[in-house]
Amino acid sequence: MKIGVIMGGISSEREVSLQTGQEMIRHLDRSRYEVVPIVIDQRADLIAQAQQADIDLALLALHGQYGEDGTVQGVLETLGIPYTGSGVLASSLCMNKELSKKLLKAVGVHTPEGLCWQGMKDYKPQAVKRLGYPVIVKPNMGGSSIGIQLVHKEKELLPAVQQACSFDQEILIEPYIKGTELTCSIVDGEVLPIIGIRSAHSEWFDYKAKYEPGGAEEKVIQLPPATRQRVREAALASYRLLQCKVYARVDMILCQDVPYVLEVNTLPGMTENSLLPKSAAAADMTFTQLLNRIIASSLLERKQEWGMVQDV
Ligand SMILES: Nc1ncnc2c1ncn2[C@@H]1O[C@H](COP(=O)(O)OP(=O)(O)OP(=O)(O)O)[C@@H](O)[C@H]1O
Ligand SMILES: [Mg+2]
């Protein structure tokens, strides 16, 4: 089977995507797959390169906009090329934090309150005061903590909002939930061991904490059984509600025993230091086995979805 590893892309997470792609290439089982790296530098590259390479499956190593947001998935659907992970709808829903939070709230999954502003025209510091400082200001459709800031007082709000606006037209402002940060990786509907995260130098999991050596301690966390159950249920409820398929990672903060879901990542990082492979390793699954599972499950998923309209 010829597998195209699609990486790079045009989002703020391009560098992380290239690392994810390299790591996937390093671990793909060569006795099963012929591997073709496909680096996307501009939008139009995808169609030309995927068709030229004549691949049987697109292994998506992209993150962020035009990659994780359903657009690339839509192109591949149109071309009839099977791809890994969630479909178009789940990808675009999960990319939009505000919309996914609205849906989560509707089914009773806890998520921080939030204000969503359509750029600087909505700038109203009084509304943020009502939310209560400190707050987290983030691009509504970002990733890897890029463009996010923790704001302790009103004086710091304007520059944080301006910065977030440079990454997305919409920004999301949430009260800072102080608690234990957790992440739940799900593969094929199975919740892998829960990882607890502690940033070394910051009050939150910022870019440095995510990607610099020693930036954070990330290890399997032992929770009391009832709490663990609540966390697993919140993760699975989010995954199912947002119609995720094959794999995803649900980020949350546990505060007074309540898991607050921050977001669902449909193409979570798969770099050397990423959380999903760590969680898989804790379940005795090597990176290679994890990729095998993602590939097999994605092929099955696309076959089921496309069975009515075309041959996979
Ligand atoms: N409401 C909040 N309360 C406390 N911390 C928060 C809150 N929102 C975000 N954070 C912190 O900011 C980090 C990044 O937030 P979030 O997961 O929403 O953004 P992201 O950029 O999409 O991340 P990812 O790299 O997982 O794609 C979280 O891991 C957490 O440490
Ligand atoms: Mg996150």
Side-chain angles (χ1 to χ4, degrees):
M1 181 185 294
K2 199 169 179 184
I3 294 203
V5 180
I6 319 280
M7 57 184 165
I10 56 170
S11 81
S12 58
E13 291 184 273
R14 177 182 167 87
E15 289 311 311
V16 181
S17 163
L18 291 171
Q19 286 180 39
T20 289
Q22 288 306 334
E23 200 61 12
M24 285 174 160
I25 289 168
R26 213 155 70 82
H27 289 281
L28 274 167
D29 183 347
R30 300 307 164 105
S31 68
R32 292 186 186 205
Y33 315 117
E34 182 188 342
V35 179
V36 190
I38 297 182
V39 178
I40 305 298
D41 295 322
Q42 50 189 349
R43 284 168 192 272
D45 288 352
L46 177 68
I47 296 178
Q49 291 205 46
Q51 278 184 322
Q52 200 184 356
D54 194 24
I55 53 175
D56 300 306
L57 175 80
L59 176 57
L60 297 184
L62 296 164
H63 304 305
Q65 290 181 20
Y66 195 62
E68 196 169 348
D69 61 356
T71 51
V72 161
Q73 289 78 0
V75 168
L76 293 167
E77 297 250 345
T78 309
L79 295 175
I81 299 173
Y83 56 90
T84 49
S86 291
V88 174
L89 178 63
S91 304
S92 52
L93 263 180
C94 292
M95 193 72 218
N96 188 320
K97 291 185 167 75
E98 165 70 357
L99 258 184
S100 41
K101 279 158 66 75
K102 278 199 172 125
L103 291 172
L104 292 174
K105 264 183 212 159
V107 298
V109 173
H110 295 278
T111 177
E113 287 303 309
L115 289 172
C116 191
W117 287 348
Q118 310 293 316
M120 286 308 298
K121 69 177 168 52
D122 286 341
Y123 186 76
K124 285 185 199 80
Q126 325 76 279
V128 178
K129 201 178 246 166
R130 277 199 293 278
L131 224 51
Y133 285 92
V135 292
I136 290 264
V137 176
K138 43 181 140 175
N140 189 39
M141 298 203 279
S144 289
S145 293
I146 296 167
I148 300 186
Q149 279 194 51
L150 172 61
V151 173
H152 288 95
K153 41 184 179 293
E154 193 173 312
K155 213 171 70 185
E156 300 162 1
L157 184 65
L158 182 61
V161 169
Q162 283 168 331
Q163 186 193 282
C165 280
S166 69
F167 290 96
D168 190 8
Q169 289 159 339
E170 283 182 349
I171 64 159
L172 183 62
I173 304 180
E174 292 176 348
Y176 171 77
I177 310 281
K178 197 170 168 51
T180 306
E181 179 146 7
L182 306 174
T183 195
C184 276
S185 297
I186 300 177
V187 178
D188 262 346
E190 180 195 338
V191 183
L192 301 181
I194 302 161
I195 305 256
I197 299 161
R198 208 179 305 164
S199 298
H201 312 288
S202 163
E203 293 156 274
W204 62 287
F205 200 26
D206 59 14
Y207 188 88
K208 274 188 172 177
K210 280 180 185 173
Y211 300 107
E212 285 189 359
E217 189 183 74
E218 302 153 341
K219 56 179 192 194
V220 174
I221 190 166
Q222 302 304 330
L223 297 167
T227 310
R228 180 171 170 268
Q229 189 55 19
R230 218 169 292 148
V231 168
R232 287 169 52 89
E233 276 168 11
L236 273 177
S238 310
Y239 181 90
R240 290 189 186 129
L241 170 77
L242 298 170
Q243 302 196 7
C244 296
K245 296 285 153 61
V246 186
Y247 73 118
R249 206 194 71 222
V250 185
D251 295 340
M252 32 181 123
I253 309 267
L254 184 67
C255 175
Q256 292 174 350
D257 248 16
V258 177
Y260 289 86
V261 173
L262 298 180
E263 59 151 356
V264 180
N265 299 284
T266 48
L267 290 178
M270 298 272 275
T271 69
E272 203 177 353
N273 297 317
S274 291
L275 296 159
L276 191 132
K278 243 175 224 168
S279 194
D284 287 329
M285 207 192 304
T286 64
F287 204 121
T288 301
Q289 289 167 332
L290 174 62
L291 289 174
N292 285 344
R293 201 159 155 190
I294 287 174
I295 290 166
S297 159
S298 299
L299 283 170
L300 191 65
E301 185 59 43
R302 300 288 97 85
K303 201 165 199 166
Q304 283 167 355
E305 287 169 5
W306 298 357
M308 304 298 287
V309 283
Q310 60 195 135
D311 270 348
V312 177

